[in-house]
Amino acid sequence: MNDVILSRIAEALTWTGRYVERADATGRILDAYLHRLLEDPWRDEDAACRSLYAILGVDAGDQPVDMQQVLDQLAFDARSTGSIEGALGAARLNARSAREAVSSEMWECLNSTWHALAGQRRASLRTGPYAYLELVRRRAALFFGLADSTMSRDDSWRFVVLGRSLERVDMTVRLLSVRVLDAAHAPDWPTLLSASGADEAYARVYGGFGDSPKVAEFLLLDRDFPRSALHALTTAEECLAALGRPRQDPARRPIGALRTHLEYLDSRSLEGGLPVLLRDLQGACMASAEAVAEKFFPYQGPVEWAQEGARR
């Protein structure tokens, strides 16, 4: 197997991990916002929808926005990899191109999920989108569970986990950035916890679901919660080290520097420096992703699954 084929497989595996994680995170965010709107019918739907768009980097425009429009764009749009359906479709194409590297069970999970989405999308018109979003969350968890249980801990597995980890940091930073930097459309702390899948884990650590800035501390600095920035950065750095990248490598250095910074950060100084820290985290992940692509994905020919919207 020549280097071009190997680089294409590595790219496909990395983006498979990223796209499945993106679909999962987007599904959690949409579900959290939908439940908040149901629980509080007086909540401003337009403001909530604009907050969702801000998290995912979508221009909301000047016209009023409702939740059905958001779902059509962020859940059901198969043409955009910024939506759930588009991300899962791209993950499926990537996995198909790397069939010799992923297990049959992982491929079957993605393939069956993709084919089940259309039926769930139609059902959502009658019963709401909750079953659709639940399917996405459960299948994403199943996919990564199958990756952990059916793949050897070789470079193929590391590229999947690296992609998932980089996307996870990006989504956590996006959530916190809207809360910190965009007061006009900011979600409350409980919504942010729920959107991160962290509400129960947070309650076990802090003893409640209080509206507290400690949410930011938990999502950034907790060493044990797998969706925290520190945990995801640590996992990404471990993958890069196992892939043979030294500490000063352009792919590993920005990740390692931010991981070390978070590791020893005094939580009392977190709130005041949060905007700068979030920008640094997003910049480090972008720099690392670009360096990984330059090192491992040198193939520049036409690749069907490499089509990406604004976020890739």
Side-chain angles (χ1 to χ4, degrees):
M1 188 176 296
N2 60 44
D3 290 341
V4 169
I5 297 297
L6 287 174
S7 71
R8 291 177 64 175
I9 291 174
E11 182 180 22
L13 293 171
T14 303
W15 280 103
T16 298
R18 291 202 72 152
Y19 284 136
V20 175
E21 178 65 23
R22 185 179 300 177
D24 181 27
T26 304
R28 290 176 183 277
I29 293 167
L30 288 172
D31 190 64
Y33 272 78
L34 283 165
H35 276 93
R36 293 299 178 199
L37 285 172
L38 280 176
E39 292 167 3
D40 182 4
W42 303 109
R43 187 179 292 257
D44 187 337
E45 183 176 358
D46 179 71
C49 292
R50 290 179 182 278
S51 176
L52 275 167
Y53 278 142
I55 290 169
L56 297 170
V58 178
D59 182 8
D62 299 325
Q63 298 301 313
V65 187
D66 60 26
M67 190 55 71
Q68 186 57 53
Q69 179 181 333
V70 169
L71 288 169
D72 289 340
Q73 192 165 355
L74 299 181
F76 306 141
D77 186 358
R79 299 167 297 176
S80 169
T81 54
S83 78
I84 292 173
E85 199 149 334
L88 287 175
R92 176 176 173 269
L93 287 174
N94 277 276
R96 186 173 66 185
S97 72
R99 283 289 287 113
E100 63 267 49
V102 301
S103 68
S104 296
E105 289 177 85
M106 292 168 66
W107 163 248
E108 289 166 4
C109 173
L110 277 180
N111 193 44
S112 62
T113 301
W114 169 251
H115 287 292
L117 290 178
Q120 290 292 349
R121 185 175 65 249
R122 290 191 295 270
S124 72
L125 298 175
R126 303 187 305 275
T127 61
Y130 307 103
Y132 179 98
L133 298 174
E134 182 181 13
L135 172 71
V136 171
R137 293 197 310 274
R138 289 183 181 276
R139 294 297 180 87
L142 175 60
F143 175 82
F144 287 125
L146 289 170
D148 286 341
S149 61
T150 64
M151 291 185 77
S152 297
R153 295 303 191 265
D154 56 10
D155 287 354
S156 294
W157 176 81
R158 294 184 187 103
F159 279 115
V160 173
V161 175
L162 176 62
R164 178 187 66 185
S165 300
L166 292 174
E167 188 71 22
R168 188 166 284 180
V169 175
D170 180 68
M171 294 300 286
T172 298
V173 168
R174 285 172 179 273
L175 278 167
L176 286 171
S177 293
V178 172
R179 181 65 180 87
V180 172
L181 304 175
D182 189 2
H185 306 306
D188 55 32
W189 290 114
T191 299
L192 195 149
L193 271 177
S194 180
S196 305
D199 39 7
E200 294 181 353
Y202 177 87
R204 283 192 286 271
V205 172
Y206 291 103
F209 298 96
D211 190 4
S212 167
K214 282 190 174 293
V215 172
E217 178 183 339
F218 182 76
L219 291 176
L220 290 174
L221 304 182
D222 192 85
R223 290 175 172 81
D224 300 319
F225 182 61
R227 293 183 180 275
S228 77
L230 177 56
H231 193 286
L233 287 173
T234 301
T235 302
E237 188 181 12
E238 289 171 351
C239 289
L240 288 168
L243 288 166
R245 309 322 303 157
R247 287 177 179 165
Q248 294 305 311
D249 180 78
R252 184 176 169 186
R253 185 174 61 247
I255 294 293
L258 264 296
R259 192 270 306 160
T260 302
H261 180 62
L262 293 182
E263 190 84 40
Y264 296 100
L265 182 66
D266 184 349
S267 61
R268 292 172 296 183
S269 67
L270 180 62
E271 188 171 359
L274 197 53
V276 174
L277 178 59
L278 293 175
R279 285 195 293 268
D280 288 347
L281 279 167
Q282 199 157 44
C285 287
M286 290 177 62
S288 180
E290 290 171 0
V292 167
E294 184 176 346
K295 174 62 183 178
F296 293 106
F297 317 145
Y299 177 71
Q300 298 297 323
V303 183
E304 178 187 6
W305 64 89
Q307 300 303 314
E308 166 67 15
R311 288 196 54 202
R312 181 165 173 180

mmCIF file with all atom_site columns, all heavy atoms in Angstrom, residues 44-50 53 59-70 73 185:
data_model
loop_
_atom_site.group_PDB
_atom_site.id
_atom_site.type_symbol
_atom_site.label_atom_id
_atom_site.label_alt_id
_atom_site.label_comp_id
_atom_site.label_asym_id
_atom_site.label_entity_id
_atom_site.label_seq_id
_atom_site.pdbx_PDB_ins_code
_atom_site.Cartn_x
_atom_site.Cartn_y
_atom_site.Cartn_z
_atom_site.occupancy
_atom_site.B_iso_or_equiv
_atom_site.pdbx_formal_charge
_atom_site.auth_seq_id
_atom_site.auth_comp_id
_atom_site.auth_asym_id
_atom_site.auth_atom_id
_atom_site.pdbx_PDB_model_num
ATOM 1   N N   . ASP A 1 44  ? -38.061 33.723 24.318 1.00 0.00 ? 44  ASP A N   1
ATOM 2   C CA  . ASP A 1 44  ? -38.012 34.325 22.988 1.00 0.00 ? 44  ASP A CA  1
ATOM 3   C C   . ASP A 1 44  ? -37.431 33.318 21.994 1.00 0.00 ? 44  ASP A C   1
ATOM 4   O O   . ASP A 1 44  ? -36.242 33.005 22.029 1.00 0.00 ? 44  ASP A O   1
ATOM 5   C CB  . ASP A 1 44  ? -37.142 35.578 23.032 1.00 0.00 ? 44  ASP A CB  1
ATOM 6   C CG  . ASP A 1 44  ? -37.169 36.370 21.732 1.00 0.00 ? 44  ASP A CG  1
ATOM 7   O OD1 . ASP A 1 44  ? -37.481 35.771 20.682 1.00 0.00 ? 44  ASP A OD1 1
ATOM 8   O OD2 . ASP A 1 44  ? -36.875 37.571 21.763 1.00 0.00 ? 44  ASP A OD2 1
ATOM 9   N N   . GLU A 1 45  ? -38.285 32.790 21.106 1.00 0.00 ? 45  GLU A N   1
ATOM 10  C CA  . GLU A 1 45  ? -37.839 31.760 20.169 1.00 0.00 ? 45  GLU A CA  1
ATOM 11  C C   . GLU A 1 45  ? -36.811 32.305 19.182 1.00 0.00 ? 45  GLU A C   1
ATOM 12  O O   . GLU A 1 45  ? -35.836 31.633 18.853 1.00 0.00 ? 45  GLU A O   1
ATOM 13  C CB  . GLU A 1 45  ? -39.035 31.173 19.413 1.00 0.00 ? 45  GLU A CB  1
ATOM 14  C CG  . GLU A 1 45  ? -38.658 30.050 18.462 1.00 0.00 ? 45  GLU A CG  1
ATOM 15  C CD  . GLU A 1 45  ? -39.872 29.414 17.802 1.00 0.00 ? 45  GLU A CD  1
ATOM 16  O OE1 . GLU A 1 45  ? -41.010 29.828 18.128 1.00 0.00 ? 45  GLU A OE1 1
ATOM 17  O OE2 . GLU A 1 45  ? -39.680 28.505 16.975 1.00 0.00 ? 45  GLU A OE2 1
ATOM 18  N N   . ASP A 1 46  ? -37.023 33.521 18.722 1.00 0.00 ? 46  ASP A N   1
ATOM 19  C CA  . ASP A 1 46  ? -36.079 34.110 17.774 1.00 0.00 ? 46  ASP A CA  1
ATOM 20  C C   . ASP A 1 46  ? -34.694 34.252 18.409 1.00 0.00 ? 46  ASP A C   1
ATOM 21  O O   . ASP A 1 46  ? -33.670 33.940 17.781 1.00 0.00 ? 46  ASP A O   1
ATOM 22  C CB  . ASP A 1 46  ? -36.581 35.468 17.308 1.00 0.00 ? 46  ASP A CB  1
ATOM 23  C CG  . ASP A 1 46  ? -35.634 36.141 16.333 1.00 0.00 ? 46  ASP A CG  1
ATOM 24  O OD1 . ASP A 1 46  ? -35.527 35.672 15.178 1.00 0.00 ? 46  ASP A OD1 1
ATOM 25  O OD2 . ASP A 1 46  ? -34.969 37.108 16.732 1.00 0.00 ? 46  ASP A OD2 1
ATOM 26  N N   . ALA A 1 47  ? -34.635 34.705 19.657 1.00 0.00 ? 47  ALA A N   1
ATOM 27  C CA  . ALA A 1 47  ? -33.349 34.862 20.341 1.00 0.00 ? 47  ALA A CA  1
ATOM 28  C C   . ALA A 1 47  ? -32.680 33.509 20.538 1.00 0.00 ? 47  ALA A C   1
ATOM 29  O O   . ALA A 1 47  ? -31.454 33.374 20.368 1.00 0.00 ? 47  ALA A O   1
ATOM 30  C CB  . ALA A 1 47  ? -33.547 35.560 21.685 1.00 0.00 ? 47  ALA A CB  1
ATOM 31  N N   . ALA A 1 48  ? -33.472 32.493 20.888 1.00 0.00 ? 48  ALA A N   1
ATOM 32  C CA  . ALA A 1 48  ? -32.906 31.160 21.077 1.00 0.00 ? 48  ALA A CA  1
ATOM 33  C C   . ALA A 1 48  ? -32.341 30.621 19.764 1.00 0.00 ? 48  ALA A C   1
ATOM 34  O O   . ALA A 1 48  ? -31.258 30.017 19.738 1.00 0.00 ? 48  ALA A O   1
ATOM 35  C CB  . ALA A 1 48  ? -33.968 30.214 21.628 1.00 0.00 ? 48  ALA A CB  1
ATOM 36  N N   . CYS A 1 49  ? -33.063 30.842 18.684 1.00 0.00 ? 49  CYS A N   1
ATOM 37  C CA  . CYS A 1 49  ? -32.594 30.365 17.378 1.00 0.00 ? 49  CYS A CA  1
ATOM 38  C C   . CYS A 1 49  ? -31.326 31.101 16.947 1.00 0.00 ? 49  CYS A C   1
ATOM 39  O O   . CYS A 1 49  ? -30.410 30.493 16.373 1.00 0.00 ? 49  CYS A O   1
ATOM 40  C CB  . CYS A 1 49  ? -33.693 30.537 16.336 1.00 0.00 ? 49  CYS A CB  1
ATOM 41  S SG  . CYS A 1 49  ? -35.133 29.472 16.589 1.00 0.00 ? 49  CYS A SG  1
ATOM 42  N N   . ARG A 1 50  ? -31.260 32.372 17.213 1.00 0.00 ? 50  ARG A N   1
ATOM 43  C CA  . ARG A 1 50  ? -30.056 33.129 16.876 1.00 0.00 ? 50  ARG A CA  1
ATOM 44  C C   . ARG A 1 50  ? -28.859 32.668 17.702 1.00 0.00 ? 50  ARG A C   1
ATOM 45  O O   . ARG A 1 50  ? -27.713 32.673 17.236 1.00 0.00 ? 50  ARG A O   1
ATOM 46  C CB  . ARG A 1 50  ? -30.305 34.628 17.058 1.00 0.00 ? 50  ARG A CB  1
ATOM 47  C CG  . ARG A 1 50  ? -31.250 35.184 16.009 1.00 0.00 ? 50  ARG A CG  1
ATOM 48  C CD  . ARG A 1 50  ? -31.529 36.671 16.171 1.00 0.00 ? 50  ARG A CD  1
ATOM 49  N NE  . ARG A 1 50  ? -32.485 37.080 15.152 1.00 0.00 ? 50  ARG A NE  1
ATOM 50  C CZ  . ARG A 1 50  ? -32.166 37.377 13.897 1.00 0.00 ? 50  ARG A CZ  1
ATOM 51  N NH1 . ARG A 1 50  ? -30.890 37.347 13.526 1.00 0.00 ? 50  ARG A NH1 1
ATOM 52  N NH2 . ARG A 1 50  ? -33.083 37.716 13.022 1.00 0.00 ? 50  ARG A NH2 1
ATOM 53  N N   . TYR A 1 53  ? -27.632 29.538 16.008 1.00 0.00 ? 53  TYR A N   1
ATOM 54  C CA  . TYR A 1 53  ? -26.866 29.889 14.812 1.00 0.00 ? 53  TYR A CA  1
ATOM 55  C C   . TYR A 1 53  ? -25.476 30.419 15.187 1.00 0.00 ? 53  TYR A C   1
ATOM 56  O O   . TYR A 1 53  ? -24.486 30.118 14.525 1.00 0.00 ? 53  TYR A O   1
ATOM 57  C CB  . TYR A 1 53  ? -27.615 30.945 14.001 1.00 0.00 ? 53  TYR A CB  1
ATOM 58  C CG  . TYR A 1 53  ? -28.694 30.400 13.091 1.00 0.00 ? 53  TYR A CG  1
ATOM 59  C CD1 . TYR A 1 53  ? -29.886 31.078 12.901 1.00 0.00 ? 53  TYR A CD1 1
ATOM 60  C CD2 . TYR A 1 53  ? -28.488 29.209 12.391 1.00 0.00 ? 53  TYR A CD2 1
ATOM 61  C CE1 . TYR A 1 53  ? -30.872 30.578 12.050 1.00 0.00 ? 53  TYR A CE1 1
ATOM 62  C CE2 . TYR A 1 53  ? -29.466 28.712 11.532 1.00 0.00 ? 53  TYR A CE2 1
ATOM 63  C CZ  . TYR A 1 53  ? -30.654 29.399 11.372 1.00 0.00 ? 53  TYR A CZ  1
ATOM 64  O OH  . TYR A 1 53  ? -31.618 28.899 10.526 1.00 0.00 ? 53  TYR A OH  1
ATOM 65  N N   . ASP A 1 59  ? -24.906 32.479 9.767  1.00 0.00 ? 59  ASP A N   1
ATOM 66  C CA  . ASP A 1 59  ? -25.461 33.826 9.722  1.00 0.00 ? 59  ASP A CA  1
ATOM 67  C C   . ASP A 1 59  ? -26.987 33.746 9.803  1.00 0.00 ? 59  ASP A C   1
ATOM 68  O O   . ASP A 1 59  ? -27.638 33.148 8.939  1.00 0.00 ? 59  ASP A O   1
ATOM 69  C CB  . ASP A 1 59  ? -25.027 34.520 8.433  1.00 0.00 ? 59  ASP A CB  1
ATOM 70  C CG  . ASP A 1 59  ? -25.524 35.960 8.337  1.00 0.00 ? 59  ASP A CG  1
ATOM 71  O OD1 . ASP A 1 59  ? -26.068 36.467 9.341  1.00 0.00 ? 59  ASP A OD1 1
ATOM 72  O OD2 . ASP A 1 59  ? -25.370 36.571 7.268  1.00 0.00 ? 59  ASP A OD2 1
ATOM 73  N N   . ALA A 1 60  ? -27.554 34.356 10.827 1.00 0.00 ? 60  ALA A N   1
ATOM 74  C CA  . ALA A 1 60  ? -29.005 34.288 11.024 1.00 0.00 ? 60  ALA A CA  1
ATOM 75  C C   . ALA A 1 60  ? -29.768 35.273 10.150 1.00 0.00 ? 60  ALA A C   1
ATOM 76  O O   . ALA A 1 60  ? -30.982 35.140 9.991  1.00 0.00 ? 60  ALA A O   1
ATOM 77  C CB  . ALA A 1 60  ? -29.343 34.538 12.499 1.00 0.00 ? 60  ALA A CB  1
ATOM 78  N N   . GLY A 1 61  ? -29.092 36.272 9.581  1.00 0.00 ? 61  GLY A N   1
ATOM 79  C CA  . GLY A 1 61  ? -29.785 37.254 8.757  1.00 0.00 ? 61  GLY A CA  1
ATOM 80  C C   . GLY A 1 61  ? -30.583 38.232 9.591  1.00 0.00 ? 61  GLY A C   1
ATOM 81  O O   . GLY A 1 61  ? -30.506 38.265 10.823 1.00 0.00 ? 61  GLY A O   1
ATOM 82  N N   . ASP A 1 62  ? -31.404 39.034 8.919  1.00 0.00 ? 62  ASP A N   1
ATOM 83  C CA  . ASP A 1 62  ? -32.170 40.082 9.595  1.00 0.00 ? 62  ASP A CA  1
ATOM 84  C C   . ASP A 1 62  ? -33.626 39.708 9.848  1.00 0.00 ? 62  ASP A C   1
ATOM 85  O O   . ASP A 1 62  ? -34.316 40.372 10.618 1.00 0.00 ? 62  ASP A O   1
ATOM 86  C CB  . ASP A 1 62  ? -32.139 41.370 8.755  1.00 0.00 ? 62  ASP A CB  1
ATOM 87  C CG  . ASP A 1 62  ? -30.728 41.899 8.555  1.00 0.00 ? 62  ASP A CG  1
ATOM 88  O OD1 . ASP A 1 62  ? -29.915 41.763 9.493  1.00 0.00 ? 62  ASP A OD1 1
ATOM 89  O OD2 . ASP A 1 62  ? -30.442 42.431 7.456  1.00 0.00 ? 62  ASP A OD2 1
ATOM 90  N N   . GLN A 1 63  ? -34.116 38.664 9.194  1.00 0.00 ? 63  GLN A N   1
ATOM 91  C CA  . GLN A 1 63  ? -35.510 38.273 9.353  1.00 0.00 ? 63  GLN A CA  1
ATOM 92  C C   . GLN A 1 63  ? -35.694 37.398 10.602 1.00 0.00 ? 63  GLN A C   1
ATOM 93  O O   . GLN A 1 63  ? -34.758 36.736 11.048 1.00 0.00 ? 63  GLN A O   1
ATOM 94  C CB  . GLN A 1 63  ? -35.980 37.502 8.121  1.00 0.00 ? 63  GLN A CB  1
ATOM 95  C CG  . GLN A 1 63  ? -35.920 38.308 6.839  1.00 0.00 ? 63  GLN A CG  1
ATOM 96  C CD  . GLN A 1 63  ? -36.772 39.564 6.909  1.00 0.00 ? 63  GLN A CD  1
ATOM 97  O OE1 . GLN A 1 63  ? -37.923 39.516 7.344  1.00 0.00 ? 63  GLN A OE1 1
ATOM 98  N NE2 . GLN A 1 63  ? -36.210 40.696 6.480  1.00 0.00 ? 63  GLN A NE2 1
ATOM 99  N N   . PRO A 1 64  ? -36.900 37.383 11.188 1.00 0.00 ? 64  PRO A N   1
ATOM 100 C CA  . PRO A 1 64  ? -37.154 36.510 12.346 1.00 0.00 ? 64  PRO A CA  1
ATOM 101 C C   . PRO A 1 64  ? -36.889 35.043 11.999 1.00 0.00 ? 64  PRO A C   1
ATOM 102 O O   . PRO A 1 64  ? -37.120 34.596 10.874 1.00 0.00 ? 64  PRO A O   1
ATOM 103 C CB  . PRO A 1 64  ? -38.643 36.748 12.640 1.00 0.00 ? 64  PRO A CB  1
ATOM 104 C CG  . PRO A 1 64  ? -38.934 38.102 12.067 1.00 0.00 ? 64  PRO A CG  1
ATOM 105 C CD  . PRO A 1 64  ? -38.067 38.234 10.856 1.00 0.00 ? 64  PRO A CD  1
ATOM 106 N N   . VAL A 1 65  ? -36.404 34.306 12.982 1.00 0.00 ? 65  VAL A N   1
ATOM 107 C CA  . VAL A 1 65  ? -36.039 32.900 12.792 1.00 0.00 ? 65  VAL A CA  1
ATOM 108 C C   . VAL A 1 65  ? -36.852 32.051 13.751 1.00 0.00 ? 65  VAL A C   1
ATOM 109 O O   . VAL A 1 65  ? -37.017 32.399 14.925 1.00 0.00 ? 65  VAL A O   1
ATOM 110 C CB  . VAL A 1 65  ? -34.532 32.686 13.065 1.00 0.00 ? 65  VAL A CB  1
ATOM 111 C CG1 . VAL A 1 65  ? -34.130 31.274 12.699 1.00 0.00 ? 65  VAL A CG1 1
ATOM 112 C CG2 . VAL A 1 65  ? -33.689 33.691 12.288 1.00 0.00 ? 65  VAL A CG2 1
ATOM 113 N N   . ASP A 1 66  ? -37.384 30.919 13.247 1.00 0.00 ? 66  ASP A N   1
ATOM 114 C CA  . ASP A 1 66  ? -38.090 29.999 14.135 1.00 0.00 ? 66  ASP A CA  1
ATOM 115 C C   . ASP A 1 66  ? -37.363 28.652 14.164 1.00 0.00 ? 66  ASP A C   1
ATOM 116 O O   . ASP A 1 66  ? -36.445 28.397 13.393 1.00 0.00 ? 66  ASP A O   1
ATOM 117 C CB  . ASP A 1 66  ? -39.552 29.824 13.723 1.00 0.00 ? 66  ASP A CB  1
ATOM 118 C CG  . ASP A 1 66  ? -39.720 29.267 12.311 1.00 0.00 ? 66  ASP A CG  1
ATOM 119 O OD1 . ASP A 1 66  ? -38.814 28.568 11.810 1.00 0.00 ? 66  ASP A OD1 1
ATOM 120 O OD2 . ASP A 1 66  ? -40.764 29.544 11.686 1.00 0.00 ? 66  ASP A OD2 1
ATOM 121 N N   . MET A 1 67  ? -37.806 27.798 15.079 1.00 0.00 ? 67  MET A N   1
ATOM 122 C CA  . MET A 1 67  ? -37.100 26.541 15.300 1.00 0.00 ? 67  MET A CA  1
ATOM 123 C C   . MET A 1 67  ? -37.196 25.597 14.110 1.00 0.00 ? 67  MET A C   1
ATOM 124 O O   . MET A 1 67  ? -36.259 24.839 13.845 1.00 0.00 ? 67  MET A O   1
ATOM 125 C CB  . MET A 1 67  ? -37.641 25.853 16.559 1.00 0.00 ? 67  MET A CB  1
ATOM 126 C CG  . MET A 1 67  ? -36.802 24.649 17.001 1.00 0.00 ? 67  MET A CG  1
ATOM 127 S SD  . MET A 1 67  ? -35.034 25.005 17.257 1.00 0.00 ? 67  MET A SD  1
ATOM 128 C CE  . MET A 1 67  ? -35.106 25.987 18.749 1.00 0.00 ? 67  MET A CE  1
ATOM 129 N N   . GLN A 1 68  ? -38.291 25.633 13.356 1.00 0.00 ? 68  GLN A N   1
ATOM 130 C CA  . GLN A 1 68  ? -38.391 24.770 12.196 1.00 0.00 ? 68  GLN A CA  1
ATOM 131 C C   . GLN A 1 68  ? -37.345 25.141 11.148 1.00 0.00 ? 68  GLN A C   1
ATOM 132 O O   . GLN A 1 68  ? -36.731 24.274 10.521 1.00 0.00 ? 68  GLN A O   1
ATOM 133 C CB  . GLN A 1 68  ? -39.792 24.834 11.576 1.00 0.00 ? 68  GLN A CB  1
ATOM 134 C CG  . GLN A 1 68  ? -40.007 23.837 10.450 1.00 0.00 ? 68  GLN A CG  1
ATOM 135 C CD  . GLN A 1 68  ? -39.768 22.407 10.879 1.00 0.00 ? 68  GLN A CD  1
ATOM 136 O OE1 . GLN A 1 68  ? -40.333 21.931 11.863 1.00 0.00 ? 68  GLN A OE1 1
ATOM 137 N NE2 . GLN A 1 68  ? -38.909 21.687 10.146 1.00 0.00 ? 68  GLN A NE2 1
ATOM 138 N N   . GLN A 1 69  ? -37.113 26.424 10.966 1.00 0.00 ? 69  GLN A N   1
ATOM 139 C CA  . GLN A 1 69  ? -36.073 26.868 10.047 1.00 0.00 ? 69  GLN A CA  1
ATOM 140 C C   . GLN A 1 69  ? -34.701 26.390 10.526 1.00 0.00 ? 69  GLN A C   1
ATOM 141 O O   . GLN A 1 69  ? -33.867 25.943 9.730  1.00 0.00 ? 69  GLN A O   1
ATOM 142 C CB  . GLN A 1 69  ? -36.085 28.393 9.947  1.00 0.00 ? 69  GLN A CB  1
ATOM 143 C CG  . GLN A 1 69  ? -35.006 28.965 9.019  1.00 0.00 ? 69  GLN A CG  1
ATOM 144 C CD  . GLN A 1 69  ? -35.040 30.481 8.969  1.00 0.00 ? 69  GLN A CD  1
ATOM 145 O OE1 . GLN A 1 69  ? -36.097 31.094 9.191  1.00 0.00 ? 69  GLN A OE1 1
ATOM 146 N NE2 . GLN A 1 69  ? -33.905 31.094 8.701  1.00 0.00 ? 69  GLN A NE2 1
ATOM 147 N N   . VAL A 1 70  ? -34.469 26.473 11.824 1.00 0.00 ? 70  VAL A N   1
ATOM 148 C CA  . VAL A 1 70  ? -33.196 26.007 12.393 1.00 0.00 ? 70  VAL A CA  1
ATOM 149 C C   . VAL A 1 70  ? -33.022 24.512 12.153 1.00 0.00 ? 70  VAL A C   1
ATOM 150 O O   . VAL A 1 70  ? -31.945 24.056 11.751 1.00 0.00 ? 70  VAL A O   1
ATOM 151 C CB  . VAL A 1 70  ? -33.137 26.326 13.898 1.00 0.00 ? 70  VAL A CB  1
ATOM 152 C CG1 . VAL A 1 70  ? -31.961 25.613 14.554 1.00 0.00 ? 70  VAL A CG1 1
ATOM 153 C CG2 . VAL A 1 70  ? -33.019 27.827 14.110 1.00 0.00 ? 70  VAL A CG2 1
ATOM 154 N N   . GLN A 1 73  ? -32.125 23.655 8.632  1.00 0.00 ? 73  GLN A N   1
ATOM 155 C CA  . GLN A 1 73  ? -30.779 24.049 8.253  1.00 0.00 ? 73  GLN A CA  1
ATOM 156 C C   . GLN A 1 73  ? -29.703 23.295 9.031  1.00 0.00 ? 73  GLN A C   1
ATOM 157 O O   . GLN A 1 73  ? -28.672 22.913 8.471  1.00 0.00 ? 73  GLN A O   1
ATOM 158 C CB  . GLN A 1 73  ? -30.600 25.552 8.460  1.00 0.00 ? 73  GLN A CB  1
ATOM 159 C CG  . GLN A 1 73  ? -29.331 26.112 7.820  1.00 0.00 ? 73  GLN A CG  1
ATOM 160 C CD  . GLN A 1 73  ? -29.370 27.623 7.720  1.00 0.00 ? 73  GLN A CD  1
ATOM 161 O OE1 . GLN A 1 73  ? -30.373 28.260 8.049  1.00 0.00 ? 73  GLN A OE1 1
ATOM 162 N NE2 . GLN A 1 73  ? -28.285 28.207 7.255  1.00 0.00 ? 73  GLN A NE2 1
ATOM 163 N N   . HIS A 1 185 ? -27.636 36.882 22.821 1.00 0.00 ? 185 HIS A N   1
ATOM 164 C CA  . HIS A 1 185 ? -28.292 35.615 22.501 1.00 0.00 ? 185 HIS A CA  1
ATOM 165 C C   . HIS A 1 185 ? -27.712 34.460 23.324 1.00 0.00 ? 185 HIS A C   1
ATOM 166 O O   . HIS A 1 185 ? -27.780 33.308 22.919 1.00 0.00 ? 185 HIS A O   1
ATOM 167 C CB  . HIS A 1 185 ? -28.120 35.301 21.010 1.00 0.00 ? 185 HIS A CB  1
ATOM 168 C CG  . HIS A 1 185 ? -28.577 36.391 20.100 1.00 0.00 ? 185 HIS A CG  1
ATOM 169 N ND1 . HIS A 1 185 ? -29.840 36.929 20.169 1.00 0.00 ? 185 HIS A ND1 1
ATOM 170 C CD2 . HIS A 1 185 ? -27.937 37.066 19.112 1.00 0.00 ? 185 HIS A CD2 1
ATOM 171 C CE1 . HIS A 1 185 ? -29.967 37.875 19.247 1.00 0.00 ? 185 HIS A CE1 1
ATOM 172 N NE2 . HIS A 1 185 ? -28.824 37.982 18.598 1.00 0.00 ? 185 HIS A NE2 1
#
